[in-house]
Amino acid sequence: MMRPGQGRALRMLERAERWLFRIGTPEPAPIRLVQRRIYVLPTPAGLAFAAALATMLLASINYNLSLGYGFVFLLGGTAMASMVHAFRNLLGLSIRAERCEPVFCGDTAGFVFSIDNTRNRRRPSLSLRAHGQQVGFDAGPAQLTRVCLPCPTTRRGQLSPGRTVIQTTWPLGLIRAWSVFMPEQHCVVYPAPEPDPPALPEDAGADAGMRGRSRDGDDDFTGLRTHRSADSPRHVAWKVLARGGPMLTKSYASWSSPDLVLDWSQLPQQLDDERRLSRLTAWLLAAEQHNWRYALKLPGCEVASGQGKAHLACCLGELARFGAPREEA
């Protein structure tokens, strides 16, 4: 769990990086970390270490301590070597953003990244950061590592990771090496369903007073009709034919429930836009759970009747994008 002080420090760091590294448009994958994209600065521990070395150096100069000189230069050389190791820990990594599964508002979105380490050596103590959230990982030698960065959602629509930071303080924690990138990735955030929605409207059929409809099937016997050459022999009324009657075929039908039409305009006027979207979301989930066919009508948008996971995702996606400007074809 991140402490409040750490959260404020991360937000200040993000503002500074946003001002220094003016990355505006999403970058196509794969994003390769070349030399010019990696930045190196001392960490707070590194600054304290440098101050301690400066104090030791002044003391060695003042008292002419040869051993003190050697000790300061040894520690300084170690710090310089850690800078090179931190830089090389990021150099050459390839980052690819993967598809993000849709979530409901209030849930946690998981941005998945594939980190490709082409070198035959391990990359330890790496971390990804976006939206104030951070996750650590190691990249194995010559391996593709999948990292999921969880981000909380607070509103519907499309959520992008935005400016994402990959960083490391390996090996000593004195030097921070990092790179900033903007992946082409987004997560669709559906409206949160209403906790206790009213029952599905009984008059939500495509036509007023619609109670059901029949179609050809094998469920219920509905009568006899004139035989056609394409009819199955199993449906021929052989008993009627044996009594000297004409050749007839048994007719069957299946009955299906009416299609629901969930109409924005039929909702109570006292509900605001977000509460209407929340109620429609709950009704869509209920209709899908009951295996009913349903359609959706929104101002400026209609989704034809259907059912199934793909149809549900289409309807929920329209609710998530409601009010957002649409791209022209």
Side-chain angles (χ1 to χ4, degrees), residues 27-276:
E27 306 172 69
I31 301 170
R32 188 170 178 82
L33 301 186
V34 296
Q35 181 176 352
R36 297 183 61 182
R37 296 196 59 151
I38 302 174
Y39 306 92
V40 177
L41 280 178
T43 64
L47 292 175
F49 183 79
L53 285 184
T55 303
M56 293 170 60
L57 180 60
L58 290 175
S60 300
I61 294 173
N62 186 45
Y63 294 102
N64 197 21
L65 298 176
S66 299
L67 186 60
Y69 286 125
F71 191 54
V72 168
F73 294 149
L74 175 63
L75 293 180
T78 302
M80 295 298 293
S82 72
M83 181 185 302
V84 176
H85 282 288
F87 177 84
R88 288 178 59 83
N89 204 31
L90 293 183
L91 184 63
L93 287 177
S94 182
I95 305 171
R96 186 183 297 273
E98 297 187 5
R99 181 178 179 274
C100 183
E101 293 296 328
V103 297
F104 292 96
C105 184
D107 294 340
T108 300
F111 293 106
V112 180
F113 298 90
S114 294
I115 313 296
D116 189 9
N117 178 20
T118 57
R119 293 185 180 177
N120 291 321
R121 68 178 183 87
R122 178 170 163 266
R123 312 282 189 115
S125 301
L126 302 174
S127 66
L128 279 173
R129 189 181 80 244
H131 291 288
Q133 305 297 314
Q134 185 168 313
V135 60
F137 66 97
D138 293 342
Q143 290 183 5
L144 187 68
T145 305
R146 297 179 75 253
V147 182
C148 181
L149 179 62
C151 292
T153 58
T154 57
R155 60 181 182 180
R156 63 176 176 85
Q158 285 192 352
L159 176 66
S160 299
R163 291 174 174 82
T164 307
V165 178
I166 183 171
Q167 64 181 12
T168 182
T169 57
W170 186 82
L172 300 177
L174 302 177
I175 301 296
R176 173 177 177 255
W178 79 98
S179 182
V180 184
F181 60 96
M182 180 85 77
E184 279 186 334
Q185 188 182 33
H186 69 270
C187 175
V188 179
V189 182
Y190 300 146
E194 189 175 4
D196 295 309
L200 289 168
E202 296 181 357
D203 57 345
D207 296 318
M210 187 178 186
R211 292 186 175 87
R213 67 175 184 270
S214 64
R215 56 183 173 84
D216 291 340
D218 300 319
D219 293 345
D220 300 314
F221 175 73
T222 58
L224 299 174
R225 60 173 174 80
T226 305
H227 179 73
R228 294 191 291 262
S229 59
D231 292 339
S232 171
R234 295 186 298 107
H235 292 167
V236 174
W238 295 110
K239 292 183 178 180
V240 177
L241 184 63
R243 291 195 296 265
M247 194 169 185
L248 301 175
T249 299
K250 298 176 183 178
S251 178
Y252 295 88
S254 298
W255 290 85
S256 62
S257 60
D259 291 353
L260 295 176
V261 179
L262 302 178
D263 194 342
W264 171 280
S265 62
Q266 300 301 319
L267 293 173
Q269 295 297 323
Q270 64 269 22
L271 297 180
D272 59 20
D273 288 356
E274 295 304 321
R275 292 179 63 189
R276 291 188 182 205

